[in-house]
Amino acid sequence: MSCVIKSISPCFETLKAVNGEIEHLSFHQARFDKTRQELYGSTQKIALLKHLNPPKAFTCKVRVEYAQTIYKIEYLPYTPRDFQTFARVEADIDYAYKYCNREALNAHLRDDVDDILFTCNGELKDTSIANIALFIDGEWKTPLHPLLVGTTRARLLSCGELKAEVLDIKSLQKAEKFAIMNALIGFKIIKKVSIKD
């Protein structure tokens, strides 16, 4: 009798370092711990701070690849990208963990837009690299069921600056403002957003 073991992709954590200081480390540590325990069964804690030594000369993207243990740490210069145009794509994607294998997301990327806005059964999810927020009736709202629970989203929910609820296409049409968020971008309001169906 043979047993087939499902191969689980390693995951990665993306952090932002400014002048050698990691921003919002506690939220990254929490997701790192949760992923290692739930996905790989690791119970031994690893303190990210002890392994990170970002350069002080420039703002950088810190990429930590890991599973049970840390596999690789990279320090890459960070240059912000401009996002204005999005294509809405209906897809049922499982990206509950920040897998290194991003084929399911990347398969939908297009040259004629800056990023993809995913929906599932009409419910708004995320872009390929960021959580989203809509400003409706005087409040910033973010999808209750994102593809990935981002650290910036978690931080803004914890301090009451965001409210999580089910958002759909009608919500998008009602929204006065549209924003994207992740550890590198922060919370970025897109002033001239264009969303194609």
Side-chain angles (χ1 to χ4, degrees):
M1 179 176 175
S2 64
C3 178
V4 177
I5 299 174
K6 184 180 177 184
S7 175
I8 301 174
S9 167
C11 286
F12 70 103
E13 198 64 30
T14 305
L15 308 91
K16 185 177 183 181
V18 180
N19 299 324
E21 296 292 325
I22 303 289
E23 294 190 341
H24 312 296
L25 181 60
S26 62
F27 288 91
H28 292 284
Q29 183 72 57
R31 182 168 64 183
F32 176 78
D33 293 343
K34 184 173 184 284
T35 299
R36 288 182 64 246
Q37 182 175 2
E38 292 181 356
L39 204 56
Y40 309 112
S42 301
T43 55
Q44 186 176 0
K45 294 293 176 86
I46 297 174
L48 283 171
L49 187 60
K50 293 182 178 179
H51 296 268
L52 302 179
N53 186 26
K56 295 183 179 179
F58 56 88
T59 296
C60 73
K61 169 183 174 179
V62 182
R63 189 179 188 279
V64 180
E65 186 175 318
Y66 68 96
Q68 289 93 342
T69 60
I70 293 174
Y71 292 163
K72 182 169 59 173
I73 299 173
E74 296 177 294
Y75 303 102
L76 308 165
Y78 173 61
T79 304
R81 284 172 55 194
D82 188 33
F83 293 90
Q84 287 190 326
T85 59
F86 299 82
R88 187 175 68 84
V89 170
E90 176 74 14
D92 188 3
I93 295 173
D94 177 11
Y95 197 70
Y97 300 94
K98 199 172 171 72
Y99 297 114
C100 291
N101 182 349
R102 290 175 48 86
E103 288 177 11
L105 300 172
N106 294 342
H108 298 282
L109 296 178
R110 293 170 23 182
D111 291 336
D112 63 327
V113 293
D114 299 316
D115 203 354
I116 301 300
L117 175 59
F118 289 103
T119 59
C120 184
N121 298 320
E123 192 176 322
L124 296 178
K125 295 294 183 177
D126 291 335
T127 78
S128 75
I129 63 154
N131 294 128
I132 67 165
L134 306 179
F135 192 72
I136 302 172
D137 299 330
E139 290 183 304
W140 280 106
K141 301 178 180 184
T142 193
L144 182 62
H145 306 115
L147 292 177
L148 178 72
V149 176
T151 57
T152 300
R153 176 184 180 274
R155 177 169 56 84
L156 295 177
L157 282 169
S158 73
C159 66
E161 292 186 32
L162 274 181
K163 181 179 179 182
E165 61 181 60
V166 174
L167 299 173
D168 57 17
I169 305 306
K170 289 181 181 177
S171 309
L172 194 58
Q173 294 165 348
K174 271 173 47 173
E176 300 163 56
K177 298 176 186 176
F178 177 88
I180 58 175
M181 63 190 123
N182 67 25
L184 295 172
I185 296 167
F187 186 87
K188 184 176 178 62
I189 299 170
I190 312 295
K191 292 183 179 177
K192 294 182 179 179
V193 65
S194 171
I195 300 174
K196 304 177 180 182
D197 283 320

